[in-house]
Amino acid sequence: MTPTFSLAELAERIGGVLRGDGRAIVTGVADVGEAGSADITWITNPKYVEKLATSRAAAVLVPTDFGPTPMPAILCPRVDRSVAKLLAAFAPAIAKPETGIHPTAVVHHSARVAADASVGPRVVVEDGASIGPRSILRAGVYVGSQTIIGEDCLLWPGVVIRERCTVGNRVIIHPNAVIGSDGLGFYFDGGRHEKIPHIGGVIIGDDAEIGACVCIDRAKFGNTLVGQGSKIDNFVQIAHNVRLGEHCVLASHTGLAGSVRTGRYCVFGGRAGALDNVTIGDGARIAANSMTAKDVPAGQTVSGFPAQEHRKELRVQASLRRLPEVAAQLRELLARVERLEASKHDHP
Amino acid sequence: MTPTFSLAELAERIGGVLRGDGRAIVTGVADVGEAGSADITWITNPKYVEKLATSRAAAVLVPTDFGPTPMPAILCPRVDRSVAKLLAAFAPAIAKPETGIHPTAVVHHSARVAADASVGPRVVVEDGASIGPRSILRAGVYVGSQTIIGEDCLLWPGVVIRERCTVGNRVIIHPNAVIGSDGLGFYFDGGRHEKIPHIGGVIIGDDAEIGACVCIDRAKFGNTLVGQGSKIDNFVQIAHNVRLGEHCVLASHTGLAGSVRTGRYCVFGGRAGALDNVTIGDGARIAANSMTAKDVPAGQTVSGFPAQEHRKELRVQASLRRLPEVAAQLRELLARVERLEASKHDHP
Amino acid sequence: MTPTFSLAELAERIGGVLRGDGRAIVTGVADVGEAGSADITWITNPKYVEKLATSRAAAVLVPTDFGPTPMPAILCPRVDRSVAKLLAAFAPAIAKPETGIHPTAVVHHSARVAADASVGPRVVVEDGASIGPRSILRAGVYVGSQTIIGEDCLLWPGVVIRERCTVGNRVIIHPNAVIGSDGLGFYFDGGRHEKIPHIGGVIIGDDAEIGACVCIDRAKFGNTLVGQGSKIDNFVQIAHNVRLGEHCVLASHTGLAGSVRTGRYCVFGGRAGALDNVTIGDGARIAANSMTAKDVPAGQTVSGFPAQEHRKELRVQASLRRLPEVAAQLRELLARVERLEASKHDHP
């Protein structure tokens, strides 16, 4: 069943103010260039306004102070928030998994599973583990010995959480992520790398979201920490004993080496990283494709490798592009100096 | 059973012309330096011809116009194509999985599975999903609600495909790849990152091949697209709403950020990437370890970060290597200018 | 049960010499700054000695020649080795999986499983595969047709090993790693990428350790090799026909492209890599975030991209940081030369 709303209903639902005829029927969401006559779209930047002229969209979400539009509009104080509500309104209904333990799941008799939790097919829950109220473990999830999963969590298929880890409440973990694997730790002895035991664990704070195929290694001792509200994209590596602060965002392929510490509200762009033992202050940003080898002060944006203050790096990048011409200028200057030197000798 | 062919049989089978005695028996394929007396090898570049002198190989595949060789040769108009046929000829027989649904699979009663499909042990197929004729789902694959798998697909163990995705025909997906996970999308409100629902899906075109541990995120709305015939290597990240064109090749660790669009026949080297919203033209190439922050015209090769035209980048790289000497030259020139200035004052 | 030791017991157990009262009771291991009064900590660098003054730790591990400490100390000839033993002493007991085949495992009748091996829930072992004595396959592991697993191996949940691979003895493979997937190999024909069969396998040497979500592709022919004692971190890509030497260490996100060969004792930092066909000598080191495009001699450390000798790269990096000022100096010098030229014309 496709969700269907009148424009007036939608405006109310997403927290905006209707401008124009509220009776139009909307059945979907689409890009401005691809919207059909029953779709709603959005635009935030006035420079794209001309795209509206040729759009077939039934209506458009715009910021509150946006100028006239060729179709009905919903004026929104925060377009991003309203778009999120819009997408929620049109989300297809997905059957919720049944509560209880699927007959193909293997749950140890000493594990505790809340009565209203949902443990899906092929899930394995080891001895002493605990699954909190309303948490959903999709097919094939593995929960190790003595690991604790909080309330209202959602673990997608193939997630592996090893022993003695703790996952907070309302945590989402995407498919095939691995929590609590041993870190890379060896000492060199007799020509061989000998394993350093990793006897610590991992603690993931409330409301964190962990992407697909993410690896968060357990600590050598103590715990690797993911702060509450932090959002981690696919393929991110969190090494042993990292302490990631609260409400950080780490884009895909980012890597935090051993014992990195970050403050709150840090942002790592795609394929960003930090070498081991680096400390990163509150609100610092590591740009995409950049890796810091030293501490980053709070609030600073760094880029490049080794990363430096972003404005400095931009200047270096700009100079770099002109480098071949610098070499040419240098050659020319040398020739001119040589001529000057020669002429000096002409005038003794 | 080791496959065994006479050289004459092989020449015919791989589309080449025999030169020399066709009765030699070949039982394997090996590198020129490691081939035994019953192995066949190949060589494409005349500069490696001296390696043949010491090779024990029974025969060698060479291009049609290749000079004399110390052992029988098969002359091939396209060596790469003939090598592929050669490897196919020597591929060990692997028992084909039985058709039907393995007793340990969990298939929802509303899912449709073609009679000649093969659903392996521990596979889970959710409600409303569909598995096409002759498709093979190896052990532990997960197919979400209403997801459609086409004909003749091969899904290796641990593949997770979430709800409402579409996989075309003859698609190969390697182990532990994740299709249709939520993209990284949040809006910031009240000091927290609030989740943006991802109500779209993923569509994978015919003949695509998806590597192990690849992540292809579902769209916020509409669909993330992988064009037909595109080949994606391990650990590649395809973010939400990306539109990857047809017949592209993406090497390992490549990342395409949100809403990147590419044309047909694009190539990404290892650990290449594109920042969000970038558009890449037909046949463009992003070199290994390079990331583009802006659109790339059709046919252009770019490298570096931020990526620029490859020839420009090469010039910058060359200048960069000489940079310490540029600084030295500059110091020397300064000294000479100072001497000139001083001598000028000597001649008032 | 928390492990409890007297300091004297611990000193003996970890191979150190007690200095101070050996009766103190130790129940845990912690960082110097966070240790409680029953914790033991360690310090290796004298520059951190002042941290000991405020530490509540019951005792500290230090190198043999370390100066006075405010709490009892254990003097260790090799602190790293003693720390490993210390962590082993405090490792929480984890119930060992039962030997035998779990009733939910699917083991082909032609597979051989040693009587004292442990095959966990949901494991699949295909035809002709072999699991050696005392090896442990955790939940959901997949072992393909004719694949051989040696003695005393530990395979964590979600590991996928495809057909005809060989894993040595005492190998540890972390969750969701993929061994033996097809490499990225195609030839271009008629506007399409046609698949090159990968008929080879993978051989992993004794005592290797393979991280979570690692991908080791099978060879086109012959075998991709991982040398004995090599340690591979999460998300590392080992492409087809790579030959990784013995006792190498590869940190997270490293990528070795097709047919790369390395010697023994090579080290790859985080997100390092080598382009295809590169040969790397014994003991060479590829620094973090660096990728080599050419061969690296034995013992050499390289960095940057394309990687060059590390000291050269450091000089380039240093020059690079001064690049904006070089441009300014060049402009200034040009002005001075112009003044000189002008003054020359003043003195005909």
Side-chain angles (χ1 to χ4, degrees):
Chain A
M1 278 294 297
T2 308
T4 300
F5 300 94
S6 76
L7 204 48
E9 286 170 331
L10 265 187
E12 188 177 339
R13 190 166 181 137
I14 69 175
V17 173
L18 177 68
R19 185 172 68 187
D21 184 352
R23 289 169 302 177
I25 293 302
V26 176
T27 62
V29 183
D31 260 338
V32 59
E34 287 155 21
S37 60
D39 288 330
I40 187 165
T41 189
W42 72 86
I43 201 166
T44 52
N45 194 327
K47 77 174 174 180
Y48 295 126
V49 70
E50 70 272 24
K51 289 195 178 182
L52 290 180
T54 54
S55 177
R56 299 169 54 220
V60 60
L61 262 69
V62 291
T64 296
D65 57 354
F66 205 86
T69 53
M71 65 283 286
I74 301 178
L75 308 179
C76 306
R78 284 274 310 266
V79 173
D80 54 358
R81 187 164 52 194
S82 291
V83 166
K85 288 180 178 166
L86 184 69
L87 292 172
F90 285 100
I94 288 289
K96 226 188 154 175
E98 287 175 33
T99 58
I101 298 173
H102 193 274
T104 63
V106 177
V107 178
H108 194 271
H109 62 82
S110 68
R112 285 154 301 167
V113 177
D116 53 357
S118 165
V119 173
R122 305 197 281 104
V123 167
V124 173
V125 181
E126 301 276 23
D127 61 289
S130 165
I131 312 298
R134 295 170 307 281
S135 281
I136 296 169
L137 278 57
R138 291 279 189 167
V141 164
Y142 175 87
V143 178
S145 173
Q146 301 175 50
T147 280
I148 297 166
I149 309 291
E151 307 176 0
D152 297 298
C153 290
L154 172 54
L155 276 57
W156 287 101
V159 167
V160 174
I161 309 183
R162 273 183 45 185
E163 69 278 8
R164 291 182 293 105
C165 294
T166 302
V167 174
N169 302 318
R170 297 173 303 281
V171 172
I172 299 173
I173 309 183
H174 290 283
N176 289 349
V178 176
I179 315 290
S181 188
D182 294 349
L184 187 79
F186 302 90
Y187 65 97
F188 194 68
D189 203 13
R192 303 162 42 91
H193 302 287
E194 299 290 344
K195 188 169 176 67
I196 297 176
H198 280 64
I199 70 172
V202 175
I203 299 177
I204 296 180
D206 294 344
D207 300 301
E209 187 164 338
I210 313 293
C213 294
V214 160
C215 293
I216 304 178
D217 286 346
R218 68 193 311 112
K220 282 189 192 170
F221 58 92
N223 287 287
T224 303
L225 303 176
V226 171
Q228 67 169 30
S230 281
K231 311 298 184 181
I232 299 178
D233 199 3
N234 306 333
F235 297 123
V236 168
Q237 154 80 351
I238 308 277
H240 47 196
N241 292 82
V242 163
R243 300 182 179 201
L244 181 73
E246 301 175 357
H247 306 296
C248 294
V249 177
L250 285 68
S252 178
H253 282 129
T254 284
L256 303 189
S259 299
V260 164
R261 296 188 184 204
T262 86
R264 296 149 48 99
Y265 299 110
C266 296
V267 178
F268 290 77
R271 195 183 295 158
L275 296 187
D276 49 306
N277 292 298
V278 160
T279 297
I280 295 173
D282 288 348
R285 305 171 84 92
I286 317 296
N289 210 33
S290 299
M291 192 184 277
T292 183
K294 59 178 190 192
D295 294 354
V296 179
Q300 193 168 93
T301 297
V302 299
S303 65
F305 176 71
Q308 59 179 336
E309 219 189 317
H310 186 50
R311 277 178 304 180
K312 282 188 191 169
E313 175 69 15
L314 285 180
R315 277 201 294 271
V316 166
Q317 289 293 334
S319 306
L320 201 48
R321 303 279 154 137
R322 293 193 302 263
L323 198 53
E325 115 200 23
V326 163
Q329 286 170 354
L330 195 59
R331 278 192 303 274
E332 191 224 317
L333 203 56
L334 177 63
R336 287 164 73 172
V337 167
E338 280 170 351
R339 280 196 297 274
L340 283 167
E341 288 169 339
S343 78
K344 194 186 73 169
H345 294 298
D346 293 346
H347 304 279
Chain B
M1 278 295 296
T2 308
T4 299
F5 301 93
S6 74
L7 205 48
E9 285 169 332
L10 265 187
E12 189 177 341
R13 190 166 181 134
I14 69 176
V17 173
L18 177 68
R19 185 172 69 187
D21 184 351
R23 289 168 303 175
I25 294 301
V26 177
T27 61
V29 183
D31 259 339
V32 60
E34 288 155 19
S37 60
D39 288 329
I40 187 165
T41 189
W42 71 87
I43 201 166
T44 53
N45 194 325
K47 77 174 173 179
Y48 295 126
V49 71
E50 71 271 25
K51 289 195 178 180
L52 289 180
T54 55
S55 176
R56 299 168 55 220
V60 60
L61 262 70
V62 291
T64 296
D65 56 354
F66 205 87
T69 53
M71 66 281 286
I74 301 178
L75 308 179
C76 305
R78 282 277 308 267
V79 174
D80 55 358
R81 185 164 53 192
S82 291
V83 167
K85 288 181 178 163
L86 184 68
L87 293 172
F90 285 100
I94 289 288
K96 228 188 154 178
E98 287 173 34
T99 57
I101 298 174
H102 193 274
T104 64
V106 177
V107 178
H108 194 273
H109 63 82
S110 68
R112 285 154 301 167
V113 177
D116 52 358
S118 166
V119 173
R122 306 197 281 103
V123 167
V124 173
V125 180
E126 301 275 23
D127 61 288
S130 163
I131 313 297
R134 297 170 305 282
S135 281
I136 297 170
L137 279 56
R138 290 279 188 168
V141 164
Y142 175 87
V143 178
S145 172
Q146 300 175 50
T147 280
I148 296 165
I149 310 291
E151 306 176 2
D152 297 297
C153 289
L154 173 54
L155 277 55
W156 287 102
V159 167
V160 174
I161 309 182
R162 273 182 47 185
E163 69 277 8
R164 290 182 294 106
C165 294
T166 301
V167 174
N169 302 318
R170 299 172 301 282
V171 172
I172 299 173
I173 309 182
H174 290 285
N176 289 350
V178 176
I179 313 291
S181 188
D182 294 348
L184 187 79
F186 302 91
Y187 65 97
F188 194 67
D189 203 12
R192 303 162 42 91
H193 303 286
E194 300 289 345
K195 188 169 177 66
I196 298 176
H198 280 64
I199 71 172
V202 175
I203 298 176
I204 296 180
D206 294 345
D207 300 300
E209 186 165 338
I210 313 294
C213 294
V214 160
C215 293
I216 303 178
D217 287 345
R218 67 194 310 113
K220 282 189 192 171
F221 58 93
N223 287 288
T224 303
L225 303 177
V226 171
Q228 67 168 31
S230 281
K231 310 298 183 182
I232 298 178
D233 199 3
N234 307 333
F235 297 124
V236 169
Q237 155 79 353
I238 307 277
H240 48 198
N241 291 82
V242 163
R243 299 183 180 201
L244 181 72
E246 300 175 357
H247 306 296
C248 294
V249 177
L250 285 67
S252 177
H253 281 130
T254 284
L256 303 188
S259 299
V260 164
R261 295 188 184 204
T262 87
R264 295 150 48 98
Y265 300 109
C266 295
V267 178
F268 290 77
R271 196 184 293 157
L275 296 186
D276 49 305
N277 291 299
V278 160
T279 296
I280 295 173
D282 287 349
R285 305 170 84 93
I286 318 296
N289 210 33
S290 299
M291 192 184 277
T292 184
K294 60 179 190 191
D295 294 354
V296 179
Q300 193 169 91
T301 298
V302 299
S303 64
F305 176 69
Q308 59 180 335
E309 219 189 319
H310 186 51
R311 278 178 305 181
K312 282 188 192 169
E313 175 69 15
L314 285 180
R315 277 200 296 272
V316 166
Q317 288 293 334
S319 307
L320 200 49
R321 303 278 155 139
R322 292 193 303 264
L323 198 52
E325 116 200 22
V326 162
Q329 287 170 354
L330 195 58
R331 278 193 302 275
E332 192 223 315
L333 203 55
L334 178 62
R336 286 164 73 172
V337 167
E338 280 169 351
R339 279 196 298 274
L340 283 167
E341 288 169 339
S343 78
K344 192 186 74 169
H345 294 297
D346 292 346
H347 303 280
Chain C
M1 279 292 298
T2 308
T4 300
F5 301 94
S6 76
L7 204 48
E9 286 170 333
L10 265 187
E12 189 177 341
R13 190 168 181 136
I14 69 175
V17 173
L18 177 68
R19 185 171 71 185
D21 185 352
R23 291 169 303 177
I25 294 302
V26 177
T27 61
V29 183
D31 259 338
V32 60
E34 287 154 19
S37 60
D39 288 330
I40 187 165
T41 188
W42 71 85
I43 201 166
T44 53
N45 194 325
K47 76 174 174 180
Y48 295 126
V49 70
E50 70 273 21
K51 289 195 177 181
L52 290 180
T54 54
S55 177
R56 299 168 55 219
V60 60
L61 263 70
V62 291
T64 295
D65 57 354
F66 204 86
T69 52
M71 65 282 287
I74 301 177
L75 308 179
C76 305
R78 282 276 309 266
V79 173
D80 54 357
R81 186 163 53 193
S82 291
V83 166
K85 288 180 179 167
L86 185 69
L87 293 172
F90 285 101
I94 288 289
K96 226 188 154 175
E98 288 174 34
T99 57
I101 298 174
H102 193 275
T104 63
V106 177
V107 177
H108 194 271
H109 62 82
S110 68
R112 286 153 301 166
V113 177
D116 52 358
S118 167
V119 174
R122 305 197 281 106
V123 167
V124 172
V125 180
E126 301 275 23
D127 62 288
S130 164
I131 313 297
R134 297 170 305 282
S135 280
I136 297 170
L137 278 56
R138 291 279 189 168
V141 164
Y142 174 88
V143 178
S145 173
Q146 302 175 51
T147 280
I148 297 165
I149 310 291
E151 305 177 2
D152 297 297
C153 290
L154 173 54
L155 276 55
W156 287 101
V159 167
V160 174
I161 310 183
R162 273 181 45 183
E163 70 277 8
R164 291 182 293 105
C165 294
T166 302
V167 174
N169 302 318
R170 298 172 303 280
V171 172
I172 300 174
I173 309 183
H174 290 284
N176 289 350
V178 175
I179 315 289
S181 187
D182 294 349
L184 187 79
F186 302 91
Y187 65 96
F188 194 67
D189 203 13
R192 302 164 42 92
H193 303 287
E194 298 290 343
K195 188 169 176 66
I196 297 175
H198 280 63
I199 70 171
V202 176
I203 299 176
I204 296 179
D206 294 344
D207 300 300
E209 187 165 338
I210 312 294
C213 294
V214 160
C215 293
I216 303 178
D217 287 345
R218 68 193 311 113
K220 282 188 192 170
F221 58 92
N223 287 287
T224 303
L225 303 177
V226 172
Q228 66 169 30
S230 280
K231 310 298 184 182
I232 299 179
D233 199 4
N234 307 332
F235 297 124
V236 169
Q237 155 78 353
I238 308 276
H240 48 196
N241 292 82
V242 163
R243 299 182 179 201
L244 182 72
E246 300 175 358
H247 306 296
C248 295
V249 177
L250 284 67
S252 177
H253 280 130
T254 284
L256 303 189
S259 300
V260 164
R261 295 188 183 204
T262 87
R264 295 148 50 98
Y265 299 110
C266 296
V267 178
F268 290 77
R271 196 184 294 157
L275 296 187
D276 50 305
N277 291 300
V278 160
T279 296
I280 295 172
D282 288 348
R285 305 171 83 92
I286 316 297
N289 210 32
S290 299
M291 192 185 276
T292 183
K294 59 178 190 192
D295 293 354
V296 179
Q300 192 168 93
T301 298
V302 300
S303 64
F305 176 70
Q308 59 179 336
E309 219 189 318
H310 186 50
R311 278 178 306 180
K312 282 188 191 167
E313 176 69 15
L314 285 180
R315 277 201 294 273
V316 166
Q317 288 294 333
S319 307
L320 200 49
R321 302 279 155 138
R322 292 194 301 264
L323 198 53
E325 115 200 23
V326 163
Q329 286 171 355
L330 194 59
R331 278 192 303 274
E332 193 223 315
L333 203 55
L334 177 62
R336 288 164 73 171
V337 167
E338 281 169 351
R339 279 197 298 273
L340 283 168
E341 289 169 339
S343 78
K344 194 187 75 171
H345 295 297
D346 292 348
H347 304 280

